[in-house]
Amino acid sequence: MKNKLVFLFVIVLLISACAQPTETAPQATEYSPTHPALSIDSLQPGTQTPYAFLSSSDVEVRYLLFLPDNYNPTVESPMIIFLHGTGGIGMNIDKLINMTLPNYVEEISDFPFIVVSPQLPKGLWPKLIDPIEELLNHLTETLPVDVDHLYLTGLSAGGYGTWKYALKYPDRFA
């Protein structure tokens, strides 16, 4: 019996030693975004451009912004917010480029919508809804967006997030 307990103890130690350490959030004293903040000078019509937005609750929202090829800063454009599925979760914004809508918009030269594709770093969409809402407010104040033509869509886990978002802000989307 004693040998079995020693053997079990050794196995537990080996498993513990091989386990991945958990990541702890860095204790930064100053906010350093992973991507630039949106500026009028950085706009690139016809391409997916990565940006970062810091919400009032100190949550960084990474997102891709697509502006139509024929983007005109004096004309209001409709906007689509696309919430990705679990395949896009993480800290690499490039994962989103091959998702359905972000991939599709670059294929269609006359796609008329501004598309915002935020990235979920971990977990589920409901915890990011309020920071994304702040991002949308920022974008609609900065870009010529037709606020009567805001659309929300999502794929898989993003579909779940779409329902949660629409339920929380029922008058926000067309």
Side-chain angles (χ1 to χ4, degrees), residues 25-38:
Q27 299 299 317
T29 55
E30 184 176 313
Y31 173 64
S32 176
T34 54
H35 298 288
L38 178 70

Side-chain angles (χ1 to χ4, degrees), residues 39-98:
S39 72
I40 298 303
D41 298 333
S42 68
L43 298 178
Q44 298 178 27
T47 63
Q48 303 280 343
T49 307
Y51 292 102
F53 173 80
L54 186 64
S55 74
S56 62
S57 57
D58 289 331
V59 173
E60 179 188 57
V61 179
R62 296 173 183 205
Y63 65 100
L64 291 176
L65 177 68
F66 173 83
L67 299 173
D69 284 335
N70 62 353
Y71 172 76
N72 180 340
T74 62
V75 177
E76 289 184 343
S77 297
M79 179 184 278
I80 299 173
I81 295 81
F82 171 71
L83 304 183
H84 63 76
T86 56
I89 294 175
M91 301 300 282
N92 181 355
I93 197 79
D94 292 335
K95 286 179 161 185
L96 301 187
I97 292 172
N98 293 323

